[in-house]
Amino acid sequence: MDRSTEMTAFVRAVETGGFTAAARKMGLTPSALSKLVTRLEDRLGARLLQRTTRRLQLTSEGEAFYARARPILLAMDEAEAEVSQAGLSPRGLLRLQCGTAFGMHQLARTIPHFQALYPDVQLDITISDRPPADMKEGIDLTIRTGPLDDSSMVARRICTLERVICAAPSYLALHGTPRTPDDLQQHNCLWISNLPALRRWPFDTEDGIRVVHIGGNVVANNAETVLQLAVAGVGITRLTNVIVSAAIARRELVPILTDWHHVEPVPLFASYPSGRNLAPKVRAMVDFLVDFFKDSDQQFQRVTPVGSP
């Protein structure tokens, strides 16, 4: 047995919590796997595992070795998978998670095109504005806006969005149209409750960017509800152009404060765990989304106030 086999036996024993389960995964007997781990310990001159009748426990040396060994094995698996799966056609169940704004207003319309290209891929789509870490395990691909703060994820940019401040004509007729950022303090503003950072609206001034902390008497935990509240005339909101552009085109919403609003590019990412092999079905979806939205500047063109040239 070579070093990689000994390393694999050790890592699998740690991951499964015992020699029996690890041996089953490797197609060995428990005694054979135990001998591999013992051989590794003898070669290193260090005890890696404390063995009891109930469980295995890592020693401090074992923790250090496991932290180094596991990424090595993952990299080997990914390298082999990339080559061995290169000729395979995408197939199987793809579990995809997406926020409500992009999921309901953009992703849904792309699915028929994807299915036409990859009929052997079945899709299980979860639409939620909850952070990915809070979602159930088993998600193959996550689509999210904004910067990623999880170093364990690999990300690829699909396109760039921007946010728009807007309100329904009925709201503006009843409450007036804000002319300056300060006017927002006198208005009811809507935001997504589990994204408190979106209560801070940036504006360009002569002294630089100024942030206004908005308030209101209605919040919701997803972008779609906030959109519907705004269309119903409940208040002013600031959402990405992918969700409000259609309502603005129908004149259900009107962009406001466009001369003041500091437009921040909002990257849209497709991400997946770095420790997971990039299966053909995942690669196919990522490549498809990047290609489909490559002309997003035209698809999500910057909206202008009603009556503007």
Side-chain angles (χ1 to χ4, degrees):
M1 295 291 183
D2 58 19
R3 290 186 178 184
S4 64
T5 306
E6 295 172 354
M7 183 185 296
T8 301
F10 166 71
V11 170
R12 296 293 179 261
V14 174
E15 291 176 339
T16 60
F19 288 156
T20 301
R24 189 180 305 116
K25 293 189 69 171
M26 294 185 63
L28 302 172
T29 64
S31 61
L33 189 134
S34 178
K35 290 179 181 178
L36 286 172
V37 175
T38 299
R39 185 180 305 169
L40 174 64
E41 291 177 322
D42 291 343
R43 183 165 55 80
L44 297 176
R47 172 78 66 171
L48 303 178
L49 293 169
Q50 294 290 356
R51 301 157 174 83
T52 68
T53 56
R54 293 188 176 182
R55 63 190 180 96
L56 299 177
Q57 184 173 355
L58 283 168
T59 64
S60 58
E61 292 83 2
E63 290 179 353
F65 188 77
Y66 178 76
R68 289 295 192 94
R70 185 172 182 273
I72 293 174
L73 292 179
L74 288 173
M76 292 171 58
D77 290 343
E78 289 179 352
E80 292 181 359
E82 184 174 344
V83 174
S84 64
Q85 295 179 352
L88 298 179
S89 61
R91 65 180 60 252
L93 179 63
L94 174 63
R95 296 180 177 88
L96 186 151
Q97 177 201 346
C98 185
T100 56
F102 190 81
M104 298 181 69
H105 291 266
Q106 299 299 330
L107 180 65
R109 70 185 180 91
T110 72
I111 298 306
H113 302 280
F114 180 82
Q115 289 180 317
L117 292 172
Y118 305 105
D120 293 328
V121 176
Q122 297 84 47
L123 295 172
D124 180 351
I125 303 173
T126 298
I127 302 295
S128 174
D129 284 323
R130 292 168 56 192
D134 293 343
M135 299 302 296
K136 64 182 180 181
E137 296 181 358
I139 297 295
D140 298 300
L141 184 66
T142 298
I143 300 176
R144 280 288 172 216
T145 57
L148 302 178
D149 55 5
D150 189 346
S151 60
S152 67
M153 303 295 285
V154 175
R156 184 175 175 188
R157 191 180 70 84
I158 298 174
C159 61
T160 300
L161 316 175
E162 62 182 49
R163 295 191 173 95
V164 180
I165 300 175
C166 52
S170 59
Y171 176 89
L172 299 176
L174 184 62
H175 301 281
T177 300
R179 301 301 178 186
T180 69
D182 289 332
D183 292 343
L184 290 173
Q185 303 300 331
Q186 310 303 319
H187 285 269
N188 199 40
C189 296
L190 311 170
W191 72 93
I192 303 172
S193 57
N194 60 345
L195 298 173
L198 296 186
R199 292 186 66 181
R200 304 174 71 250
W201 295 4
F203 296 92
D204 291 319
T205 70
E206 293 181 354
D207 299 322
I209 298 175
R210 179 188 170 198
V211 173
V212 174
H213 191 84
I214 54 90
N217 59 12
V218 181
V219 297
N221 68 347
N222 65 73
E224 178 63 22
T225 303
V226 171
L227 171 67
Q228 296 304 323
L229 289 168
V231 169
V234 175
I236 301 171
T237 191
R238 179 175 177 262
L239 296 170
T240 55
N241 48 2
V242 296
I243 189 172
V244 299
S245 57
I248 290 174
R250 295 190 297 265
R251 304 206 172 199
E252 296 173 340
L253 293 175
V254 178
I256 59 175
L257 297 173
T258 54
D259 291 337
W260 291 86
H261 185 211
H262 178 73
V263 178
E264 299 172 305
V266 182
L268 182 75
F269 289 106
S271 62
Y272 57 92
S274 60
R276 184 178 299 173
N277 295 335
L278 188 57
K281 60 185 179 183
V282 178
R283 185 184 301 278
M285 176 59 81
V286 174
D287 290 344
F288 167 79
L289 291 173
V290 171
D291 183 67
F292 192 91
F293 293 103
K294 64 184 177 181
D295 297 323
S296 59
D297 289 342
Q298 297 178 12
Q299 296 185 46
F300 313 137
Q301 58 185 329
R302 182 169 299 176
V303 291
T304 55
V306 173
S308 296

